[in-house]
Amino acid sequence: MNSLNLRKYVCVHGDSLTVLQAPEFVSFQKGDWPISGEKIPDLVALTMGFSVQEDLSWPGLQAGPLFQRPRANVLVVVRGVDSLALPQSVASYPLENPVPFTLDSVAETVHSLFAEDTPIVLQLAPSEERLYMLGKANAVFEDLPVTLQQIRARLSQDGSVLPSLPLNSLSRNAEADLLFLSEVQVLHDITALLQRHRHLAKDHSPDLYSLELSGLEELSRLYGQDSPQYRDATAILASVLQKFGEELYNLYGSSAVVEVVTVKTFEAPLTRKSRSILQSVQISNPGSPYNLAYQYNFNYAVVFNIVLWLMIGLALAIIAISYNLWNMDPGYDSIIYRMTNQKIRMD
């Protein structure tokens, strides 16, 4: 496993943002600088080399090389726990104002800039049966289980993670336990699919993953945080996330940023509409249900200036040519009339 030299055991009390993996050219500084939950999408955009509307005045992320950007950004949101005992990480920061957020703006930027390539844009929340996908490469994830029924059926098939997990007090028959185990299964299936399609991790278009896990929240509500089920699930998830981050980091050639946001509970509810795989492929604009064009494209200014000055140049050329033709003397300025005039005189 390739890993950075900057590693330490981190235990942050309260909601937190933990950077599991990051390439050397994405510089995260170690410190206790808090970051607001509403700034997480801007942070993800900056790590991918995109611009944001407002400057992020946060010292945790330093400016990196202009012509280097990671191939992927993976953000995992874990609800129901304020911190996880992740043994290896780049840095960890307190999370304040944990309001709900989405990476829709980052997904739209990736899709608009690399629409002709094969970027992977995957946003998934198994507990809410929410799947949001963009890009031509997303046909790879057609076999990914989406509904809870599909995921639970996947647990009994070949390649299930159940035999490799120390379930201890967790039950294979309890509803809340199956929800948690289903989320672990989805993490395993994502890496398995990418390993079978490694070429998607080697192209020049950046990929975006946004996963929201709420199995721990259900276990906490049902059993309580002091229950053995909750403690066993927390230990399992910390180990699985560590392995998940390392596998994705290696699949992308040590050029991926993997973040984990742990939040006890969001301060406000967030509702989003789900979309099936076929619908997400057909809709060109994720922000409009009417399949309208994007309101603004980053190449608009360039194309506008090219067309504008080209039309001005052609107009000036036509005016100059028309003026010279109108004021031309056929006897002196035209070689055709001049030769015809000499031939008439000779005859």
Side-chain angles (χ1 to χ4, degrees):
M1 296 290 181
N2 296 329
S3 60
L4 297 178
N5 295 327
L6 298 177
R7 292 289 188 266
K8 69 175 183 178
Y9 286 79
V10 180
C11 182
V12 177
H13 298 286
D15 301 335
S16 63
L17 165 68
T18 302
V19 182
L20 279 182
Q21 303 284 348
E24 296 180 355
F25 53 84
V26 179
S27 180
F28 284 95
Q29 305 298 312
K30 293 184 179 181
D32 294 330
W33 303 292
I35 182 171
S36 176
E38 60 187 7
K39 294 297 182 181
I40 297 296
D42 291 344
L43 176 64
V44 173
L46 290 174
T47 58
M48 301 185 71
F50 303 142
S51 60
V52 295
Q53 294 181 353
E54 298 180 2
D55 294 336
L56 182 64
S57 57
W58 182 64
L61 178 64
Q62 299 296 320
L66 183 61
F67 298 103
Q68 278 187 305
R69 70 174 67 194
R71 295 180 182 174
N73 190 292
V74 184
L75 177 67
V76 182
V77 178
V78 181
R79 293 164 48 184
V81 62
D82 51 10
S83 63
L84 289 172
L86 299 169
Q88 292 182 328
S89 63
V90 177
S92 188
Y93 310 97
L95 183 68
E96 61 180 11
N97 189 25
V99 296
F101 60 86
T102 67
L103 300 185
D104 291 346
S105 59
V106 185
E108 183 177 344
T109 301
V110 172
H111 183 64
S112 60
L113 293 179
F114 301 92
E116 300 300 326
D117 300 315
T118 56
I120 297 176
V121 179
L122 174 65
Q123 300 185 64
L124 178 62
S127 63
E128 300 178 10
E129 300 185 354
R130 186 176 75 232
L131 177 64
Y132 183 62
M133 304 172 66
L134 286 174
K136 294 182 290 186
N138 290 334
V140 175
F141 295 99
E142 286 181 349
D143 297 332
L144 192 68
V146 179
T147 65
L148 293 178
Q149 183 178 1
Q150 293 174 345
I151 300 175
R152 289 166 184 170
R154 177 73 180 87
L155 290 172
S156 60
Q157 299 173 358
D158 294 337
S160 172
V161 297
L162 292 182
S164 61
L165 296 178
L167 298 182
N168 297 331
S169 60
L170 295 175
S171 172
R172 302 189 182 190
N173 300 320
E175 193 76 13
D177 299 24
L178 282 176
L179 171 61
F180 169 77
L181 296 174
S182 299
E183 294 177 342
V184 175
Q185 182 68 52
V186 169
L187 295 177
H188 175 268
D189 289 344
I190 290 175
T191 55
L193 288 172
L194 283 176
Q195 287 175 352
R196 280 184 290 183
H197 302 274
R198 291 175 176 266
H199 65 281
L200 296 177
K202 297 180 180 180
D203 55 12
H204 68 280
S205 58
D207 300 335
L208 178 66
Y209 302 85
S210 175
L211 310 174
E212 184 176 328
L213 310 179
S214 60
L216 282 180
E217 189 176 37
E218 294 297 326
L219 292 176
S220 174
R221 184 181 296 112
L222 181 62
Y223 301 113
Q225 295 185 6
D226 297 329
S227 63
Q229 293 89 345
Y230 183 82
R231 290 196 299 268
D232 292 340
T234 302
I236 290 175
L237 185 59
S239 176
V240 169
L241 286 177
Q242 190 74 59
K243 181 181 178 182
F244 177 73
E246 292 176 356
E247 290 180 346
L248 285 180
Y249 184 73
N250 292 327
L251 280 172
Y252 281 93
S254 302
S255 182
V257 179
V258 183
E259 304 109 337
V260 175
V261 172
T262 54
V263 56
K264 196 75 172 179
T265 179
F266 284 117
E267 294 183 354
L270 177 67
T271 58
R272 295 182 59 192
K273 294 182 179 180
S274 62
R275 181 175 295 155
S276 66
I277 296 176
L278 296 179
Q279 289 175 336
S280 64
V281 174
Q282 295 173 356
I283 293 179
S284 61
N285 185 354
S288 172
Y290 304 107
N291 199 21
L292 301 179
Y294 288 98
Q295 295 182 357
Y296 182 80
N297 188 283
F298 288 97
N299 294 324
Y300 174 80
V302 178
V303 176
F304 177 80
N305 277 274
I306 291 175
V307 174
L308 174 65
W309 294 109
L310 180 62
M311 297 301 296
I312 292 177
L314 291 176
L316 293 176
I318 292 175
I319 293 174
I321 293 173
S322 301
Y323 177 82
N324 290 325
L325 287 176
W326 183 263
N327 295 279
M328 183 179 65
D329 187 353
Y332 294 96
D333 298 335
S334 175
I335 187 174
I336 298 177
Y337 282 97
R338 187 181 304 170
M339 293 181 64
T340 305
N341 190 21
Q342 291 178 359
K343 185 176 180 181
I344 295 174
R345 291 181 181 179
M346 292 177 62
D347 293 340

